[in-house]
Amino acid sequence: MKTICLYFEIHQIIHLKRYRFFDIGVDHYYYDDFENERSINDIANRSYMPALNALLDMIKGNGNYFKVAFSLSGVGMEQLEMHAPQVLEKLQELNETGCVEFLAEPYSHGLSSLANEETFATDVKKQCKKIEEYFGKKPTVLRNSSLIYSDDIGGQVAAMGFKGMLTEGAKHVLGWKSPHYVYNCNIAPNLKLLLRDVELSDDISLRFNNSDWDRYPLFADNYINRIAALPEEERIINIFMELSALGIAQPLSSNILEFFKALPACARAKDITFSTPSEICSAVKSVGSLDVPDTLSWVDEERDVSCWLGNAMQRDAFNKLYSVADRVRIANDPRICQDWDYLQASNNFRFMTTKPSSTGFDRGIYSSPFDAFTNYMNILGDFINRVGSLYPEEIDNEELNGLLTTIKNQGDEIEMKDKEIIRLKTKIEKMQSTEERLKAKIEKAAAPKKTAARKAAAKAAEPEADAK
């Protein structure tokens, strides 16, 4: 029986402001708050809320039959918390149905998996913690930023304890193989791989509203018929896209949501089910390993990382950013760490690309790749100066780690002593309370005896008074 694994990404670009060379060392705030608030409210109103409401209706209308998965970047969640909390509330409502899975991904939606193994692990753990706080479940399947994957990255993900990972079903990797099976990492056999069906996914996310497309208009029954017509042994159909495809890339006027709402009934008629990534990883065996020595992604025709690291400007910015990765991680300063998350976001490097894009590309405030590079490097210069002033460059990473560990241990020791003082104070107060209760009890027991003694003394004094 065939099953559809439907997955949506939710991430929000953090827009940087115009930052001049003369701002370095003077202004430590790097963000365009107005644009960040405007853009996330726009996407929430035009895409996220209508799409999530439709998916919730689909779940309620189909019981446990219809299922869906999401991954949310940590920086995206922070923007939703500030400007569009209704989106997170709706996701929590979806979570309560039991038909939704939330995946792990790097908190920053950055490229740490290409630069620093420990930073990548920290990035993922931070996002997993936030997901668990919101939805009460610890992710067991990981989706890297833009589905970035290689054998080495798969090995890192397996070492973190994940049982599965999503990536792109790129033709140059698969060759004659089909994306409709479960594979496993070449160097970590326990990590299962779910591969995105490029054509079926892009038919919805990129081509649905294109009147020049030979399959336009796309109807749910025709779409499901194509899936049903696949060879019987090809059972796993992975349809992955950004949630913003529903409403932004494909406007609501195109009837994209009506198309989605019709999918469950059409699929049920063809005995096709819906499954979450973890369900597939648990229930379906791998047919073999997938050899991916070079890094792939779901971006552009090449399906590689050249849109982020394809030119000298991008590589220079990337290398300079991650040159302080260990110091930022070791120092663990809250404000530095927040800026670190935002500066890692992959869109900062995408704005510097010189590659043409067939899908259209908005550079935001930047007029050119060099403009994006200059603005980012000015901000990065200030950020690195702040890291250096907080923990001087004369102290190497090993010495810094030792100093901070000593400080942490001393802090832990002080905390333990404070707790012991509180415990002893509580014990003394309890003993004093017990002592006071005992005194009151003794005094209460002694009161009748004192009264009787006074009465006896008074009686004894009466005859003497009469004799006189």
Side-chain angles (χ1 to χ4, degrees):
M1 182 180 289
K2 290 180 170 56
T3 192
I4 295 173
C5 180
L6 186 61
Y7 153 81
F8 294 102
E9 172 205 39
I10 299 177
H11 168 62
Q12 183 64 23
I13 288 176
I14 304 296
H15 296 275
L16 302 177
K17 69 181 182 182
R18 278 287 174 189
Y19 194 91
R20 311 294 180 184
F21 175 79
F22 298 104
D23 293 326
I24 298 173
V26 177
D27 183 3
H28 303 316
Y29 192 77
Y30 312 134
Y31 315 107
D32 186 339
D33 291 335
F34 175 81
E35 180 59 22
N36 284 323
E37 182 175 2
R38 186 209 64 77
S39 61
I40 198 163
N41 277 306
D42 178 62
I43 198 170
N45 293 330
R46 291 170 55 201
S47 173
Y48 290 168
M49 290 306 294
L52 293 175
N53 281 322
L55 292 170
L56 183 59
D57 290 343
M58 291 165 70
I59 290 173
K60 289 180 176 179
N62 292 278
N64 294 327
Y65 171 72
F66 179 73
K67 298 177 181 179
V68 64
F70 297 94
S71 75
L72 294 81
S73 70
V75 297
M77 292 179 76
E78 287 185 18
Q79 291 297 296
L80 291 171
E81 286 171 338
M82 286 189 284
H83 306 302
Q86 69 273 19
V87 175
L88 292 171
E89 290 168 5
K90 185 59 66 175
L91 285 166
Q92 288 175 322
E93 190 178 349
L94 278 158
N95 181 54
E96 290 169 1
T97 66
C99 296
V100 174
E101 179 177 3
F102 292 92
L103 309 183
E105 74 161 71
Y107 190 95
S108 65
H109 195 77
L111 308 174
S112 55
S113 61
L114 304 176
N116 188 296
E117 187 171 338
E118 291 188 25
T119 298
F120 178 46
T122 301
D123 215 4
V124 170
K125 288 175 185 175
K126 185 176 179 180
Q127 187 263 0
C128 287
K129 183 179 179 182
K130 198 169 186 72
I131 290 292
E132 194 169 6
E133 287 172 355
Y134 264 92
F135 306 110
K137 300 173 185 175
K138 186 176 181 180
T140 59
V141 175
L142 183 136
R143 177 260 187 204
N144 199 7
S145 308
S146 301
L147 297 186
I148 290 173
Y149 177 80
S150 69
D151 291 336
D152 289 339
I153 293 172
Q156 294 174 41
V157 172
M160 292 182 213
F162 291 100
K163 66 181 180 181
M165 186 171 178
L166 275 53
T167 190
E168 180 78 338
K171 290 181 181 179
H172 72 275
V173 170
L174 284 170
W176 56 269
K177 296 178 182 177
S178 166
H180 304 141
Y181 296 92
V182 173
Y183 296 91
N184 62 264
C185 174
N186 194 31
I187 63 174
N190 291 333
L191 183 75
K192 292 182 177 178
L193 302 176
L194 304 184
L195 308 185
R196 174 177 179 262
D197 185 303
V198 177
E199 183 178 357
L200 287 171
S201 299
D202 288 352
D203 281 354
I204 299 174
S205 62
L206 298 182
R207 294 182 281 269
F208 185 84
N209 195 43
N210 183 2
S211 58
D212 295 329
W213 180 38
D214 59 2
R215 285 200 173 100
Y216 179 86
L218 182 62
F219 294 105
D221 54 352
N222 293 336
Y223 188 78
I224 293 297
N225 286 341
R226 285 167 58 196
I227 293 174
L230 293 169
E232 184 179 349
E233 62 274 13
E234 296 188 16
R235 297 169 49 202
I236 311 300
I237 316 301
N238 299 310
I239 301 172
F240 305 161
M241 66 192 76
E242 297 176 358
L243 185 61
S244 60
L246 314 186
I248 302 297
Q250 308 304 322
L252 298 181
S253 60
S254 69
N255 294 321
I256 184 73
L257 296 184
E258 285 67 25
F259 167 83
F260 263 91
K261 289 177 181 178
L263 287 177
C266 295
R268 196 191 292 268
K270 294 292 184 179
D271 291 326
I272 298 172
T273 63
F274 289 84
S275 301
T276 62
S278 63
E279 287 177 338
I280 294 172
C281 289
S282 297
V284 182
K285 292 182 179 179
S286 167
V287 297
S289 62
L290 196 67
D291 187 18
V292 189
D294 299 318
T295 310
L296 64 89
S297 76
W298 72 354
V299 179
D300 292 346
E301 292 296 325
E302 295 84 355
R303 299 292 195 265
D304 58 14
V305 296
S306 58
C307 68
W308 303 290
L309 300 175
N311 63 47
M313 291 185 297
Q314 292 170 309
R315 291 189 293 274
D316 187 22
F318 177 83
N319 291 333
K320 188 169 184 179
L321 174 68
Y322 284 101
S323 69
V324 294
D326 291 330
R327 297 181 74 78
V328 171
R329 189 185 68 258
I330 292 167
N332 198 29
D333 178 81
R335 179 64 190 276
I336 291 288
C337 286
Q338 184 179 53
D339 289 337
W340 172 249
D341 289 334
Y342 294 168
L343 293 177
Q344 280 191 90
S346 61
N347 57 277
N348 292 313
F349 302 96
R350 185 86 191 272
F351 289 144
M352 304 174 200
T353 186
T354 50
K355 289 179 60 179
S357 176
S358 59
T359 59
F361 178 59
D362 181 9
R363 293 188 197 274
I365 65 171
Y366 305 120
S367 59
S368 68
F370 182 73
D371 185 26
F373 171 74
T374 302
N375 200 67
Y376 183 78
M377 292 301 277
N378 285 340
I379 291 173
L380 191 55
D382 183 78
F383 176 76
I384 291 176
N385 286 344
R386 286 167 57 208
V387 174
S389 64
L390 190 62
Y391 301 106
E393 293 181 4
E394 293 77 27
I395 306 174
D396 62 29
N397 289 342
E398 188 175 344
E399 186 179 355
L400 175 59
N401 194 20
L403 286 170
L404 293 177
T405 300
T406 300
I407 293 169
K408 183 180 182 302
N409 291 341
Q410 289 174 344
D412 291 343
E413 188 176 347
I414 291 169
E415 186 179 354
M416 286 177 62
K417 287 180 178 179
D418 287 343
K419 287 180 180 178
E420 181 65 15
I421 289 169
I422 292 170
R423 188 186 70 80
L424 290 172
K425 281 183 177 179
T426 304
K427 189 175 180 180
I428 290 169
E429 288 171 1
K430 193 179 287 186
M431 290 171 66
Q432 288 174 341
S433 177
T434 302
E435 184 181 354
E436 288 172 3
R437 285 199 302 271
L438 284 171
K439 282 182 179 180
K441 192 173 181 181
I442 291 168
E443 288 175 0
K444 188 177 181 181
K449 294 180 180 179
K450 289 180 179 178
T451 303
R454 282 197 299 269
K455 286 180 179 180
K459 277 188 179 182
E462 284 175 8
E464 294 178 7
D466 292 338
K468 290 178 180 178

